[in-house]
Amino acid sequence: MELKMIHSLRVINKGVALVVGFGLLLCAGFVLADIIMRQIGTSFGGTEEIAGYAMALATSWGMSYTLLELGHVRIDLLRSRADGFKRALFDVFSMIVMSGVVVTIAIKAWPVLERSINNGSRANTPLETPLVWVQLPWFAGWVWFALMTTLTTLAALSLLLKRRHSETENFVGAFAEQETLQ
């Protein structure tokens, strides 16, 4: 059951990653067009601001994909010397810590969005972008990541309690560089 859930989450997050990647591609095209236009004496204006927004959105939404593809950096000096059970313990502990941090970020992001909604805040830039347009999807990305870390942690904990240690490693493990090079 846990592995099926993780597989389903991976499929969903691959779709999210494709959408985010397409958005970044559009942003890069926009910046490139602006660079070319500057060579002929004109500009769209605001490309730095829009690129910054795109990066914030890509970060908040891209973290979930990276999590489920085991792309987050983890120092595994002690873990690599441990047996299967101890490695699973390290993995679950790291997921509990990550979940705690990400849930805290998502909770702390809400007042930022709420303030922008209540005040009708706009960026202090020539574009005067309504901040809710950027902060709402940014906040949603952090909530999504918090949900992904929580579900992944619960699944890993469930497998640990069922003594299915190698299965835990398959979706929350930290593979040493030597293992990936072979």
Side-chain angles (χ1 to χ4, degrees), residues 113-136:
L113 173 60
E114 183 181 38
R115 198 172 317 117
S116 292
I117 292 169
N118 291 338
N119 296 336
S121 300
R122 293 180 169 271
N124 187 17
T125 63
L127 293 180
E128 294 184 358
T129 308
L131 291 179
V132 71
W133 291 1
V134 179
Q135 290 173 348
L136 182 62

Short mmCIF file of all heavy atoms in Angstrom, two decimals, residues 113-136:
data_model
loop_
_atom_site.label_atom_id
_atom_site.label_comp_id
_atom_site.label_asym_id
_atom_site.label_seq_id
_atom_site.Cartn_x
_atom_site.Cartn_y
_atom_site.Cartn_z
N LEU A 113 1.02 35.65 2.81
CA LEU A 113 -0.06 35.70 1.82
C LEU A 113 -1.27 36.44 2.38
O LEU A 113 -1.85 37.30 1.69
CB LEU A 113 -0.45 34.29 1.40
CG LEU A 113 -1.67 34.16 0.49
CD1 LEU A 113 -1.46 34.91 -0.82
CD2 LEU A 113 -1.98 32.69 0.23
N GLU A 114 -1.63 36.14 3.60
CA GLU A 114 -2.81 36.76 4.22
C GLU A 114 -2.67 38.29 4.27
O GLU A 114 -3.61 39.02 3.96
CB GLU A 114 -3.01 36.20 5.62
CG GLU A 114 -4.25 36.74 6.32
CD GLU A 114 -4.40 36.18 7.71
OE1 GLU A 114 -3.38 35.99 8.41
OE2 GLU A 114 -5.55 35.92 8.11
N ARG A 115 -1.47 38.77 4.62
CA ARG A 115 -1.22 40.21 4.68
C ARG A 115 -1.38 40.84 3.30
O ARG A 115 -1.97 41.92 3.16
CB ARG A 115 0.18 40.45 5.24
CG ARG A 115 0.40 41.84 5.76
CD ARG A 115 1.75 42.02 6.50
NE ARG A 115 2.04 40.91 7.39
CZ ARG A 115 3.09 40.09 7.26
NH1 ARG A 115 3.95 40.25 6.28
NH2 ARG A 115 3.31 39.11 8.12
N SER A 116 -0.88 40.16 2.28
CA SER A 116 -1.01 40.69 0.92
C SER A 116 -2.46 40.73 0.47
O SER A 116 -2.89 41.67 -0.20
CB SER A 116 -0.20 39.84 -0.06
OG SER A 116 1.17 39.99 0.19
N ILE A 117 -3.23 39.70 0.86
CA ILE A 117 -4.66 39.68 0.51
C ILE A 117 -5.38 40.81 1.22
O ILE A 117 -6.13 41.58 0.58
CB ILE A 117 -5.29 38.32 0.89
CG1 ILE A 117 -4.73 37.20 0.00
CG2 ILE A 117 -6.81 38.38 0.79
CD1 ILE A 117 -5.10 35.80 0.47
N ASN A 118 -5.18 40.94 2.52
CA ASN A 118 -5.88 41.95 3.31
C ASN A 118 -5.52 43.38 2.91
O ASN A 118 -6.37 44.27 2.94
CB ASN A 118 -5.61 41.76 4.81
CG ASN A 118 -6.25 40.50 5.35
OD1 ASN A 118 -7.20 39.97 4.77
ND2 ASN A 118 -5.72 40.00 6.46
N ASN A 119 -4.26 43.60 2.56
CA ASN A 119 -3.80 44.95 2.22
C ASN A 119 -3.86 45.25 0.73
O ASN A 119 -3.60 46.39 0.33
CB ASN A 119 -2.36 45.15 2.70
CG ASN A 119 -2.24 45.08 4.20
OD1 ASN A 119 -3.19 45.30 4.93
ND2 ASN A 119 -1.03 44.76 4.67
N GLY A 120 -4.18 44.25 -0.08
CA GLY A 120 -4.15 44.46 -1.53
C GLY A 120 -2.75 44.86 -1.98
O GLY A 120 -2.60 45.70 -2.86
N SER A 121 -1.75 44.25 -1.38
CA SER A 121 -0.35 44.64 -1.62
C SER A 121 0.06 44.44 -3.07
O SER A 121 -0.36 43.49 -3.73
CB SER A 121 0.58 43.82 -0.72
OG SER A 121 0.28 44.04 0.63
N ARG A 122 0.89 45.37 -3.51
CA ARG A 122 1.47 45.31 -4.85
C ARG A 122 2.98 45.42 -4.72
O ARG A 122 3.48 46.02 -3.78
CB ARG A 122 0.95 46.44 -5.73
CG ARG A 122 -0.53 46.31 -6.05
CD ARG A 122 -1.00 47.47 -6.94
NE ARG A 122 -2.33 47.20 -7.45
CZ ARG A 122 -2.57 46.55 -8.57
NH1 ARG A 122 -1.59 46.11 -9.31
NH2 ARG A 122 -3.80 46.34 -8.98
N ALA A 123 3.68 44.87 -5.70
CA ALA A 123 5.14 44.96 -5.70
C ALA A 123 5.55 46.42 -5.84
O ALA A 123 4.91 47.20 -6.56
CB ALA A 123 5.71 44.14 -6.85
N ASN A 124 6.61 46.80 -5.17
CA ASN A 124 7.14 48.15 -5.24
C ASN A 124 8.09 48.24 -6.43
O ASN A 124 9.28 48.49 -6.30
CB ASN A 124 7.86 48.49 -3.93
CG ASN A 124 8.28 49.93 -3.86
OD1 ASN A 124 7.79 50.76 -4.61
ND2 ASN A 124 9.21 50.23 -2.97
N THR A 125 7.53 47.98 -7.61
CA THR A 125 8.29 47.95 -8.85
C THR A 125 7.46 48.64 -9.93
O THR A 125 6.27 48.92 -9.73
CB THR A 125 8.54 46.48 -9.30
OG1 THR A 125 7.27 45.87 -9.56
CG2 THR A 125 9.30 45.71 -8.24
N PRO A 126 8.06 48.93 -11.08
CA PRO A 126 7.29 49.54 -12.16
C PRO A 126 6.07 48.71 -12.60
O PRO A 126 5.05 49.26 -13.02
CB PRO A 126 8.30 49.66 -13.30
CG PRO A 126 9.62 49.77 -12.62
CD PRO A 126 9.50 48.88 -11.40
N LEU A 127 6.15 47.37 -12.48
CA LEU A 127 5.01 46.53 -12.87
C LEU A 127 3.87 46.59 -11.85
O LEU A 127 2.72 46.30 -12.20
CB LEU A 127 5.46 45.08 -13.04
CG LEU A 127 6.39 44.76 -14.20
CD1 LEU A 127 6.72 43.27 -14.21
CD2 LEU A 127 5.81 45.20 -15.52
N GLU A 128 4.18 46.93 -10.62
CA GLU A 128 3.19 46.96 -9.53
C GLU A 128 2.33 45.70 -9.51
O GLU A 128 1.11 45.75 -9.39
CB GLU A 128 2.31 48.21 -9.63
CG GLU A 128 3.07 49.50 -9.41
CD GLU A 128 2.17 50.73 -9.41
OE1 GLU A 128 0.95 50.61 -9.62
OE2 GLU A 128 2.71 51.82 -9.22
N THR A 129 2.98 44.56 -9.59
CA THR A 129 2.29 43.27 -9.62
C THR A 129 1.52 43.06 -8.32
O THR A 129 2.08 43.21 -7.24
CB THR A 129 3.33 42.14 -9.76
OG1 THR A 129 4.17 42.42 -10.88
CG2 THR A 129 2.65 40.80 -9.92
N PRO A 130 0.24 42.71 -8.41
CA PRO A 130 -0.48 42.33 -7.18
C PRO A 130 0.21 41.09 -6.58
O PRO A 130 0.31 40.05 -7.24
CB PRO A 130 -1.89 41.99 -7.67
CG PRO A 130 -2.02 42.72 -8.98
CD PRO A 130 -0.64 42.71 -9.57
N LEU A 131 0.70 41.22 -5.36
CA LEU A 131 1.50 40.15 -4.77
C LEU A 131 0.73 38.86 -4.57
O LEU A 131 1.32 37.78 -4.56
CB LEU A 131 2.13 40.63 -3.47
CG LEU A 131 3.21 41.71 -3.64
CD1 LEU A 131 3.76 42.14 -2.30
CD2 LEU A 131 4.32 41.22 -4.55
N VAL A 132 -0.57 38.95 -4.43
CA VAL A 132 -1.37 37.73 -4.26
C VAL A 132 -1.24 36.82 -5.49
O VAL A 132 -1.29 35.60 -5.36
CB VAL A 132 -2.83 38.06 -3.93
CG1 VAL A 132 -3.56 38.65 -5.13
CG2 VAL A 132 -3.55 36.84 -3.41
N TRP A 133 -1.04 37.38 -6.66
CA TRP A 133 -0.89 36.58 -7.87
C TRP A 133 0.32 35.66 -7.79
O TRP A 133 0.33 34.57 -8.37
CB TRP A 133 -0.72 37.47 -9.10
CG TRP A 133 -1.93 38.24 -9.51
CD1 TRP A 133 -3.16 38.26 -8.91
CD2 TRP A 133 -2.01 39.13 -10.60
NE1 TRP A 133 -4.00 39.12 -9.56
CE2 TRP A 133 -3.32 39.67 -10.62
CE3 TRP A 133 -1.11 39.56 -11.57
CZ2 TRP A 133 -3.74 40.59 -11.57
CZ3 TRP A 133 -1.53 40.47 -12.52
CH2 TRP A 133 -2.84 40.96 -12.50
N VAL A 134 1.35 36.12 -7.12
CA VAL A 134 2.58 35.34 -7.00
C VAL A 134 2.57 34.53 -5.70
O VAL A 134 2.96 33.37 -5.67
CB VAL A 134 3.82 36.26 -7.04
CG1 VAL A 134 5.09 35.46 -6.89
CG2 VAL A 134 3.82 37.06 -8.32
N GLN A 135 2.14 35.16 -4.63
CA GLN A 135 2.22 34.51 -3.33
C GLN A 135 1.23 33.36 -3.15
O GLN A 135 1.53 32.41 -2.43
CB GLN A 135 2.05 35.53 -2.21
CG GLN A 135 3.23 36.47 -2.11
CD GLN A 135 3.01 37.59 -1.13
OE1 GLN A 135 1.90 37.83 -0.66
NE2 GLN A 135 4.09 38.30 -0.81
N LEU A 136 0.10 33.41 -3.81
CA LEU A 136 -0.86 32.31 -3.70
C LEU A 136 -0.30 31.01 -4.28
O LEU A 136 -0.28 29.99 -3.59
CB LEU A 136 -2.20 32.68 -4.33
CG LEU A 136 -3.30 31.62 -4.21
CD1 LEU A 136 -3.62 31.34 -2.75
CD2 LEU A 136 -4.54 32.06 -4.95
#
